Amino acid sequence: KAGVTQTPRYLIKTRGQQVTLSCSPISGHRSVSWYQQTPGQGLQFLFEYFSETQRNKGNFPGRFSGRQFSNSRSEMNVSTLELGDSALYLCASSPMTGFAGELFFGEGSRLTVL
Amino acid sequence: DQQVKQNSPSLSVQEGRISILNCDYTNSMFDYFLWYKKYPAEGPTFLISISSIKDKNEDGRFTVFLNKSAKHLSLHIVPSQPGDSAVYFCAASAQGTYKYIFGTGTRLKVLA
């Protein structure tokens, strides 16, 4: 079974631009979560989707948005990029409807904002 | 407010000895806990989980202990191997929140 796939793996943007990251969950997994990892900050929760519905959102500005499609694939978008948005963005999927359980992570998309 | 804390940024252990990684939390509503291992340039890899109805869970060389009264959990790795050198994250979730809160990680170095 294929794991969680994130694209692109690496990207460089400049301040003010916007970026879209994509995540394909493990087949059959309907819950997709996004996390931001920066040095010293651990993993910060961005949002979680289940069956195209956002069930929770982290404490990030409105420039960060996401969506989930009917095939469970998910995208997140960051508009008006700032230097501080440079981070590793991780997507995770879960088979659990009620959420509690293991998260399966992708390898992440490393965003550098210049 | 950091609800999940890993107060030791780093830990060095000799090969073959026990590694003990600690994690403290403040939210008494957390009822499910995970431990992950992360190598550079890779996504986190799941190690072991524990529900709040248990105080111990074991899987091979990995054992997680949960002390609910102290709001503390620990991961024991016995015996430690050089391949265990990585950053370890604990994470906690409360039912109905659909999210995990992660600690800031502990970098474990196992010395050969």
Side-chain angles (χ1 to χ4, degrees):
Chain A
K1 197 180 239 188
V4 177
T5 303
Q6 292 188 244
T7 57
R9 290 289 315 279
Y10 302 92
L11 65 167
I12 299 173
K13 294 284 188 178
T14 56
R15 280 180 297 173
Q17 287 187 310
Q18 66 116 21
V19 66
T20 299
L21 308 177
S22 180
C23 172
S24 293
I26 292 172
S27 177
H29 289 194
R30 292 161 64 190
S31 168
V32 174
S33 304
W34 289 89
Y35 289 83
Q36 180 197 63
Q37 185 187 14
T38 53
Q41 291 295 313
L43 280 70
Q44 303 290 315
F45 172 75
L46 282 157
F47 11 70
E48 190 267 356
Y49 290 90
F50 182 85
S51 292
E52 301 180 69
T53 299
Q54 185 183 89
R55 294 195 293 189
N56 202 349
K57 187 179 191 299
N59 189 25
F60 279 82
R63 301 184 296 105
F64 291 80
S65 63
R67 59 179 175 168
Q68 186 182 35
F69 302 95
S70 59
N71 62 358
S72 293
R73 191 178 68 85
S74 178
E75 288 181 349
M76 65 163 285
N77 183 276
V78 188
S79 62
T80 318
L81 284 165
E82 300 177 359
L83 295 178
D85 297 333
S86 294
L88 180 67
Y89 290 88
L90 291 160
C91 170
S93 71
S94 168
M96 306 296 291
T97 302
F99 189 73
E102 175 185 349
L103 297 180
F104 295 80
F105 281 91
E107 294 187 310
S109 293
R110 169 120 5 232
L111 170 64
T112 301
V113 182
L114 303 176
Chain B
D1 178 31
Q2 189 70 24
Q3 297 184 63
V4 178
K5 296 180 183 178
Q6 294 178 258
N7 291 317
S8 298
S10 63
L11 174 69
S12 291
V13 172
Q14 285 294 131
E15 180 180 7
R17 306 294 289 269
I18 183 172
S19 295
I20 299 177
L21 296 102
N22 295 304
C23 180
D24 295 296
Y25 61 95
T26 57
N27 189 341
S28 58
M29 299 302 292
F30 287 148
D31 59 1
Y32 205 81
F33 304 87
L34 306 175
W35 281 95
Y36 280 85
K37 175 171 72 173
K38 188 178 185 301
Y39 295 117
E42 294 184 12
T45 302
F46 171 75
L47 284 173
I48 193 167
S49 64
I50 189 166
S51 159
S52 61
I53 62 174
K54 293 185 171 183
D55 53 18
K56 177 183 175 182
N57 190 23
E58 210 168 341
D59 185 359
R61 297 187 298 115
F62 302 93
T63 302
V64 56
F65 296 91
L66 175 62
N67 183 333
K68 289 185 288 293
S69 60
K71 294 190 179 68
H72 177 83
L73 66 157
S74 61
L75 174 68
H76 292 209
I77 306 173
V78 185
S80 301
Q81 301 172 353
D84 296 329
S85 297
V87 178
Y88 289 77
F89 292 96
C90 64
S93 179
Q95 187 176 19
T97 62
Y98 308 113
K99 70 178 182 181
Y100 279 96
I101 306 296
F102 281 77
T104 52
T106 296
R107 183 176 300 277
L108 172 67
K109 188 171 185 179
V110 180
L111 306 170

